[in-house]
Every structure is written in structure tokens, then in C-alpha cells.
Amino acid sequence: MAASAVVALLAGGFEGRSRPQAQQLTNFEPPNLKELFLQGRCFLDPDQGTSFFALETCFPDKRPVAILWGDSHAAHHYNGLKHELGAAGYSLGMFTASACTPIIGRVVDGRPHCKDINDFVLSLIKSRKPDIVIIAALWKPFVMDGLEKTLGLLAQNDISIVVLGNTPIFQESVPSYLSRLADKDIKVSDRSAAEAAMQALLQTKKVGNVRYISLQGVTCPAGRCAIADKSGRPYYFDEGHLTQDGSRWIAGKIVSDILATRPRS
């Protein structure tokens, strides 16, 4: 990775206290993605097509309902948002697939079902009309034209649309970094170009009834990325995917913004 592609974070990165003791992470185990992401049912593997979606789980009948759509960087928000939105009376469904950015018409190498999956999700959203659609992914600047087109198609319906910005991508696994108590700061990929492109499209240009929620200030306030909670539990289980603790941490900070997209009755 080129030096210009990463930026060093300030030392620390823990909410409310100094670096935890190494033994607090020696027993860390990666999460079960069948539970955390609903892998194989609402988060599809590369070889799975639309027939594998468990519709009764991925699109709950109980209203009001929100639907989360995207790739693994959408799926890692599911646990936290289900908890927070559930407390507000919402059901949460999810249609996500590995490395499948929620862009209509986009073909992805190594993901033969991605285009069909996105077409299927858009059709389902149009026919069943959830109250809120939450779109998230590992956003890159070159997908902005496709995102604008996709949001335009969604905006034709009476649906509140939320786009979540990028969460950090670190240069190494966060649990590995924490367990070895490195004397150097962890590094994170520079996502500023994607953030600028998202803001230009969704905050300056505006597209329909769409609210953009940047996660940069949530995850890395003042350039300092939090990577664990006060007791040292990691917020990420690899270089960039949220643990249950991380998912709930972020969801608790953004749920009010998501709900604000709905008009008051």
C-alpha cells in the first residue's frame, strides 16, 4: 500500500480510558457470521443467487419496517440497527451479498449473481414499499454515477432513503493489533476521496428524499478512530468489519438520524 494511501491515527483509540491489558484479547474469537450477518440467508456468499434469500427473515411482515441493502459493510450494521430500530418499534430486514455494492446494473468480477441480486432487491422494494431503505457499502469514488442512478430509481417511490458512509478500513486486523500492544499507531486507509464524492452527491447535489449519514465523525472524531470499548472489546473483528459491540456502538449514535427521515404523523 502506498504511503499516500494510509494515514496514521493518534495513539490510543479507546473510548474513555487508556490501552487495555494484552490478556483481555488473548481469547478473542471471530464472530459467527451466520448469527451476526445472517450469512447464507440475508447475507449471501459469492456462489449464492436470489433464491437463497430467506424472505420471511430478510423482509419481515411487521410494520413499520426498514430494509438494509448492500455488501458486507452493510451487513455489519445489521445487529446494531436491529437492536436500536427495534426499540423504536421498527422491524429490520436485510438484503446483502459479499462484495456486491448496491448499484443497479453493476457487474462485479467474481460475483456472478450481483447484478441479479440488486435487480431483485430493487423490485422487492418497489413492490413491498418498506418505510425506510438503508443503503451501505464499501464506497469508492468511481461508483457515484451508479449510486445516483440507483437512488433516483428508489426516489420514485414514497420511501425514506438513508445512505450510510464508510466505516474505517485498517491496515491490519484490529484484534491482532490490540493483542500485541503495538508501540506504533494503527494505520487506516485514506477514504477521503470517497467521503468527498459522497458529500458532493448527497449533501451538495441532493438526490430525492435521501439522507446521507457520514460515519467519519462517528467512528473517527477529530481524526482519532475508536477501535475498542472501555473494557477493551474490539469494535472490529478484522481490518474493517464491525463486531456486535462495534455495530451497536455505531447504531446507537445514528439511529435518531435514520428515524428523522420519516415524516411525523
Side-chain angles (χ1 to χ4, degrees), residues 10 73-74 92 116 125 146 209 213 229 251 253 260:
L10 297 177
H73 292 267
L92 179 65
D116 289 343
I125 288 171
N209 184 27
I213 301 178
D229 66 12
K253 293 179 179 293

Side-chain angles (χ1 to χ4, degrees), residues 44-73:
L44 301 187
D45 292 323
D47 61 344
Q48 291 182 302
T50 59
S51 63
F52 285 89
F53 279 124
L55 289 181
E56 68 281 0
T57 301
C58 305
F59 204 125
D61 289 330
K62 184 177 177 293
R63 299 277 177 157
V65 62
I67 295 297
L68 182 59
W69 177 19
D71 59 14
S72 61
H73 292 267

Side-chain angles (χ1 to χ4, degrees), residues 126-137:
K126 286 184 172 182
S127 63
R128 295 198 182 184
K129 296 188 183 302
D131 300 276
I132 304 173
V133 174
I134 304 167
I135 300 177

